[in-house]
């Protein structure tokens, strides 16, 4: 990842020259802390400060905005009017060098590579992948076995993400789906980027508590799963239907469906864009790699089922413990995988894939029926309604017809 744009860069300030920074801060009456905050987070100073900064450096405010990559609609319009003039002075950056990648592991459905996803993608054909799922590092100073730097500036992190997202978009087939898993904070930036390149489908909130409560903030309780499609419509969209929530003790429904019980689809409830039923993978028994932010196979099963068919090609640029590749393999999808760090754990998981098939089947047993078999049995014992309660007998139907 390389520093590309930024507040200090456009002003010609060296971030490491603390003395110079303090002098500037003193002269313009804006604290060093604020200046560092604007630079490190790519945040445009408020308009009153912007006027002072621009005047002090003898440039105009739009130069700062362009330098920082922060575009108001007004600025976009102005640049757009002068597009041909500006573009003449811009050279297209070189495409990343393609390294010769050799698969470290193969199955009949997929190939696993070791290395940098950007360099792998450079050698992949445009419009060749049906589904992309990406769960990148979140820039939270986590120590990965690959020793990658997970603590870079926001500007750098956003720039790097846009780079690999652009490649994912290029290799995605028209009608193909792209899912991006990240913290809500980062996905606000990436949705802005994706909105101009793909069609927005959903911001899915996945209810998982991922840290301890922080006293100065709300308790972070959801991950953001962005769902986009290349061009207008997805080629595949077949979300599972979910079971009705029932009390684990009395088996009564937890929500009152009033007079609508008979109208409920026996195949289950429509998938919503808030998911409450994805378990975190915390327990050592289920966790395949102690140091990986491993995702639940239930999450990948849901995404893969919703947006791909058997035989489709799935690409995940950030292997981790290989959850995407394992689920793709179990669901008979083709897949392409890569991981910067060690890949032994992924290979091990794929070799022993049968172990996890059992869990996957347990999850799938609960889909596409309003009441899974076990719950239906318990409800019948307690004389509670099930979907079958509303199936009319032929005699009832004939009688009803006569009355009409
Ligand atoms: C959050 S983990 C992915 C976890 C995965 N979804 C799972 O369920 O097991 C992100 C992974 O991306 C890898 N990574 C980081 N930068 C990479 C790059 N440029 N190319 C390939 N892999 C990379 C890290 O080493 C880490 O293992």
């Amino acid at each position: 990842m390389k520093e590309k744009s930024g507040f200090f860069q456009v002003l010609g300030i060296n971030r490491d020259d603390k003395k110079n920074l303090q002098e500037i801060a003193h002269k313009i009456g804006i604290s060093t802390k604020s200046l560092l905050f604007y630079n490190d987070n790519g945040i445009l100073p408020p308009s009153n400060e912007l006027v002072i900064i621009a005047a002090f450096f003898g440039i105009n405010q739009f130069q700062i905005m362009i330098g920082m990559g922060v575009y108001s609609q007004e600025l976009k319009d102005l640049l757009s009017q002068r597009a041909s003039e500006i573009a003449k002075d811009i050279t297209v950056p070189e495409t990343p060098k393609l390294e010769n990648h050799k698969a470290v592991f193969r199955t009949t459905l997929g190939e696993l590579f070791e290395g940098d996803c950007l360099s792998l993608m450079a050698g992949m054909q445009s419009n060749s992948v049906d589904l992309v799922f990406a769960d990148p590092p979140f820039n939270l100073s986590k120590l990965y076995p690959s020793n990658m730097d997970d603590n870079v500036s926001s500007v750098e992190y956003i720039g790097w993400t846009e780079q690999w997202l652009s490649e994912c978009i290029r290799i995605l087939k028209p009608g193909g789906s792209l899912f991006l898993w990240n913290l809500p904070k980062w996905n606000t930036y990436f949705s802005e980027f994706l909105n101009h390149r793909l069609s927005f489908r959903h911001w899915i909130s996945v209810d998982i508590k991922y840290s301890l409560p922080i006293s100065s903030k709300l308790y972070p309780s959801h991950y953001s799963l962005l769902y986009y499609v290349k061009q207008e419509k997805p080629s595949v969209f077949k979300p599972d239907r979910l079971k009705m929530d029932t009390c684990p003790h009395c088996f009564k429904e937890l929500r009152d469906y009033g007079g609508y019980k008979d109208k409920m689809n026996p195949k289950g409830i429509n998938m919503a864009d808030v998911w409450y039923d994805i378990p975190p993978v915390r327990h050592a028994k289920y966790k395949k790699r102690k140091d990986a932010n491993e995702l639940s196979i239930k999450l990948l099963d849901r995404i893969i089922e919703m947006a791909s068919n058997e035989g489709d090609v799935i690409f995940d640029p950030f292997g981790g413990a290989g959850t995407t590749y394992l689920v793709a393999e179990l669901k008979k999808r083709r897949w392409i995988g890569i991981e910067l760090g060690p890949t032994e754990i992924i290979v091990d998981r794929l070799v022993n894939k049968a172990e996890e098939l059992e869990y996957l089947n347990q999850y799938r047993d609960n889909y596409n029926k309003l009441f899974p078999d076990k719950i239906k049995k318990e409800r019948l014992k307690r004389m509670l309604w099930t979907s079958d309660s509303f199936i009319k007998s032929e005699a009832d139907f004939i009688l009803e017809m006569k009355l009409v």
Side-chain angles (χ1 to χ4, degrees):
M1 300 187 215
K2 269 202 200 126
E3 190 89 49
K4 285 200 175 131
S5 57
F7 184 49
F8 286 173
Q9 199 197 35
V10 70
L11 301 178
I13 296 177
N14 176 359
R15 195 188 185 288
D16 300 328
D17 189 347
K18 297 276 178 298
K19 200 164 160 248
N20 180 40
L21 191 59
Q22 273 165 4
E23 272 170 26
I24 294 170
H26 182 71
K27 282 184 189 152
I28 60 178
I30 300 170
S31 70
T32 317
K33 199 170 158 214
S34 297
L35 294 174
L36 282 167
F37 171 75
Y38 301 145
N39 180 68
D40 295 350
N41 295 286
I43 288 179
L44 189 69
S47 53
N48 57 323
E49 295 186 359
L50 204 55
V51 173
I52 298 170
I53 296 165
F56 180 79
F57 285 93
I59 55 179
N60 82 24
Q61 294 173 38
F62 285 139
Q63 190 173 338
I64 300 179
M65 291 169 75
I66 295 170
M68 292 181 75
V70 179
Y71 302 95
S72 60
Q73 192 54 47
E74 185 191 12
L75 178 54
K76 282 184 200 167
D77 291 343
L78 287 169
L79 290 174
S80 160
Q81 283 157 20
R82 301 177 60 184
S84 59
E85 200 184 316
I86 297 167
K88 264 189 247 148
D89 294 331
I90 300 174
T91 45
V92 181
E94 262 179 50
T95 38
K97 248 213 233 132
L98 171 62
E99 283 168 25
N100 210 0
H101 285 279
K102 257 178 120 189
V104 289
F105 183 71
R106 269 202 182 90
T107 70
T108 47
L109 291 168
E111 281 184 303
L112 176 66
F113 297 89
E114 226 171 62
D116 181 0
C117 63
L118 259 172
S119 117
L120 179 78
M121 281 190 278
M124 286 171 69
Q125 276 190 2
S126 304
N127 306 325
S128 60
V129 162
D130 298 278
L131 167 62
V132 173
F133 172 82
D135 166 23
F138 298 160
N139 202 29
L140 287 178
S141 312
K142 209 177 134 59
L143 192 66
Y144 285 97
S146 55
N147 284 328
M148 55 154 303
D149 188 357
D150 192 40
N151 181 23
V152 296
S153 72
S154 303
V155 175
E156 225 176 303
Y157 182 66
I158 293 167
W160 172 70
T161 305
E162 290 185 359
Q163 223 183 333
W164 62 257
L165 273 177
S166 295
E167 277 297 89
C168 288
I169 294 168
R170 180 184 64 75
I171 62 174
L172 194 62
K173 286 183 192 169
S177 298
L178 181 142
F179 290 83
L180 173 57
W181 177 264
N182 212 319
L183 303 176
K185 170 188 161 169
W186 292 128
N187 270 357
T188 58
Y189 292 96
F190 308 143
S191 63
E192 155 65 8
F193 177 80
L194 291 169
N195 283 342
H196 295 289
R197 289 157 179 86
L198 299 174
S199 304
F200 174 80
R201 299 275 295 165
H202 292 285
W203 171 297
I204 300 168
S205 296
V206 183
D207 179 53
I208 299 178
K209 306 206 169 16
Y210 46 82
S211 69
L212 293 170
I214 310 162
S215 61
S216 60
K217 284 201 159 182
L218 299 180
Y219 190 176
S221 296
H222 82 277
Y223 283 88
S224 154
L225 177 63
L226 289 179
Y227 170 18
Y228 281 80
V229 64
K230 189 159 174 179
Q231 292 184 1
E232 259 180 282
K233 278 196 199 135
S235 314
V236 186
F237 180 61
K238 41 182 187 58
D240 284 314
R241 299 184 77 96
L242 304 183
K243 68 183 173 70
M244 184 182 276
D245 283 333
T246 47
C247 163
H249 308 291
C250 70
F251 296 95
K252 285 186 181 162
E253 54 269 33
L254 292 179
R255 254 191 66 192
D256 182 13
Y257 290 88
Y260 291 102
K261 293 184 190 87
D262 59 336
K263 309 224 165 32
M264 300 205 70
N265 191 325
K267 291 210 163 129
I269 294 170
N270 272 337
M271 176 93 65
D273 57 8
V274 182
W275 297 354
Y276 292 102
D277 58 339
I278 303 296
V281 185
R282 289 213 183 99
H283 198 291
K285 183 175 152 201
Y286 302 107
K287 204 164 179 162
K288 298 292 164 189
R289 202 178 86 180
K290 281 184 198 64
D291 44 15
N293 283 358
E294 186 183 320
L295 296 173
S296 161
I297 58 170
K298 189 174 184 182
L299 176 74
L300 269 305
D301 170 67
R302 182 165 297 174
I303 293 167
I304 290 175
E305 193 69 41
M306 176 153 71
S308 71
N309 286 319
E310 277 187 19
D312 280 356
V313 179
I314 298 177
F315 176 64
D316 180 338
F318 302 101
T323 313
T324 307
Y325 319 140
L326 172 87
V327 179
E329 184 82 20
L330 293 175
K331 299 185 78 70
K332 301 191 170 51
R333 271 63 169 178
R334 288 178 287 156
W335 56 271
I336 300 165
I338 178 144
E339 165 57 46
L340 193 60
T343 47
E344 288 79 10
I345 178 68
I346 306 180
V347 174
D348 184 56
R349 249 180 128 179
L350 288 163
V351 169
N352 298 302
K353 63 182 179 188
E355 280 175 16
E356 290 181 76
L357 181 60
E358 194 192 322
Y359 298 123
L360 190 72
N361 287 339
Q362 277 170 19
Y363 291 133
R364 294 224 55 81
D365 276 351
N366 285 327
Y367 289 142
N368 303 314
K369 37 193 138 172
L370 201 52
F371 300 113
D373 299 344
K374 218 176 99 194
I375 292 173
K376 188 171 164 187
K377 227 159 119 190
E378 295 295 339
R379 284 180 67 90
L380 286 172
K381 263 199 242 163
R382 291 164 176 79
M383 309 286 280
L384 296 167
W385 66 275
T386 70
S387 306
D388 296 348
S389 317
F390 305 109
I391 299 174
K392 292 189 174 68
S393 72
E394 204 177 336
D396 283 347
F397 184 69
I398 292 169
L399 185 68
E400 208 172 87
M401 294 307 285
K402 277 186 183 157
L403 290 175
V404 174

